[in-house]
Amino acid sequence: MSPQNIKLANFLAANKVSDDNKKMIPRWWSGGISGACSQCIVAPFDLLETQMIFLRKDMTMVDYVKIAIKKHGFLSLYDGLSAQFLRQLSYTTLRFHLYQVGKRYVDEYNFLHKVCVASISGLVAGIVGIPCELVNTRMHVDRLLKVKYRRNYKNVFDGLHRIWRDEGFRALYTGGLCSFTRATIINIGQNAMYDQSKMMYTHYYAWNEDSKILHITSSLTAAVLCVPLVQPIEILKTMQMNRTTGYLTTTSEKITYMMRFGIRGLFRGIMPNLLRMIPQTIIMFLLYEQLRFQFGYYE
């Protein structure tokens, strides 16, 4: 451990919020409940991010929202909500719990150790989350497709059943490589970066560990750093999951389509993604910390 990490570890060890110097551990279900609650608020931005990736016309998010509400109604902004709920209750529950368990076996003051734990937990949780993410993505873009290509899934369970029945079990993991990569980056950008930000802010500003200001600032830092890293992968994943829609069937077509607006094409939809990720991350970690304080236990 470097001298700087030793100094930080000693400072944090002396300022822990604990009972007999033991740290409070969150319940295994805390991450999923927090993620599902936050998703209720940011669901429209999740849909807008996906749909803007497929827009052939260069327009702002505000202009597109006006068109979408006028054409399909306000509730259309919540297409795919059932898939988002199931994904949060499964994938987010698993990645949070695995990350918390994994941290017990590494040096919690070493950022690289936390990155490794976050990567592994994100990859494992991705196995559970990809099918729901596939249904969610397809439900998001359905209104943009020609009638003959629309799938018209009623809900997440109908979508999962029809994909397995019509396309086979392997189709549930369409876009799996991009989704696994995304799950890894998300877990690093959210969980590992959140923990690291908490440590740094606690060290430099002497904030108490149960301070809501600390939780908000740390989650904001994690979200802002995570979005630019994940956005290009998000675009590739979205196109891969919708490869049966009649276009963008080859890799060259996908790359050409991504770059249709120049370098901005790599970050198409980043504004709704920021508007989704920032409040979602803040709300999720605020709830997560409150659930830890209210229902957690001492190791």
Side-chain angles (χ1 to χ4, degrees), residues 125-144:
I127 298 173
V128 176
I130 289 176
C132 294
E133 189 171 358
L134 174 65
V135 175
N136 179 50
T137 302
R138 290 185 172 185
M139 292 178 76
H140 279 175
V141 303
D142 224 30
R143 296 180 189 273
L144 299 178

Side-chain angles (χ1 to χ4, degrees), residues 50-278:
T50 304
Q51 292 192 347
M52 288 191 71
I53 292 173
F54 277 84
L55 288 180
R56 295 183 179 274
K57 184 178 179 181
D58 193 6
M59 66 172 65
T60 66
M61 183 187 70
V62 175
D63 291 336
Y64 180 70
V65 170
K66 293 178 181 177
I67 295 173
I69 293 177
K70 183 178 180 180
K71 188 174 182 180
H72 303 296
F74 179 77
L75 289 180
S76 67
L77 298 178
Y78 286 86
D79 286 349
L81 186 61
S82 62
Q84 295 170 38
F85 267 166
L86 185 57
R87 181 172 177 272
Q88 293 293 335
L89 293 174
S90 55
Y91 161 75
T92 304
T93 297
L94 187 58
R95 73 182 176 93
F96 267 71
H97 181 60
L98 291 178
Y99 176 73
Q100 289 297 327
V101 172
K103 283 198 306 180
R104 303 176 194 175
Y105 301 95
V106 299
D107 179 5
E108 65 175 317
Y109 304 110
N110 189 310
F111 180 60
L112 290 180
H113 287 190
K114 286 181 285 192
V115 167
C116 291
V117 172
S119 300
I120 295 172
S121 57
L123 282 171
V124 175
I127 298 173
V128 176
I130 289 176
C132 294
E133 189 171 358
L134 174 65
V135 175
N136 179 50
T137 302
R138 290 185 172 185
M139 292 178 76
H140 279 175
V141 303
D142 224 30
R143 296 180 189 273
L144 299 178
L145 304 176
K146 296 178 180 179
V147 175
K148 65 178 179 179
Y149 291 121
R150 292 181 182 175
R151 301 174 179 94
N152 298 315
Y153 297 149
K154 297 177 182 178
N155 51 58
V156 61
F157 301 107
D158 179 55
L160 293 172
H161 170 69
R162 286 172 56 186
I163 292 172
W164 192 339
R165 181 192 65 191
D166 300 336
E167 304 174 45
F169 176 78
R170 291 181 61 184
L172 290 171
Y173 289 87
T174 301
L177 179 60
C178 290
S179 293
F180 281 128
T181 305
R182 177 186 178 277
T184 301
I185 296 175
I186 286 286
N187 222 35
I188 293 172
Q190 285 191 334
N191 295 61
M193 188 58 69
Y194 174 76
D195 277 350
Q196 189 68 15
S197 297
K198 277 180 62 179
M199 287 186 176
M200 299 305 292
Y201 289 135
T202 302
H203 174 58
Y204 290 110
Y205 297 105
W207 286 340
N208 199 310
E209 190 176 333
D210 63 355
S211 168
K212 292 183 175 62
I213 300 251
L214 173 64
H215 302 156
I216 292 173
T217 308
S218 301
S219 54
L220 175 62
T221 302
V224 170
L225 293 175
C226 181
V227 171
L229 294 175
V230 80
Q231 190 61 27
I233 301 298
E234 186 81 38
I235 295 173
L236 281 173
K237 182 260 306 180
T238 301
M239 292 192 294
Q240 186 70 18
M241 288 183 168
N242 287 276
R243 64 187 180 186
T244 60
T245 55
Y247 60 98
L248 303 179
T249 56
T250 66
T251 302
S252 61
E253 287 179 344
K254 292 182 177 70
I255 295 175
T256 301
Y257 189 80
M258 282 182 64
M259 302 302 294
R260 67 195 184 282
F261 301 124
I263 194 67
R264 289 189 300 126
L266 293 173
F267 300 95
R268 185 69 173 167
I270 193 171
M271 185 53 66
N273 196 11
L274 279 169
L275 293 175
R276 174 184 69 87
M277 185 74 78
I278 290 176

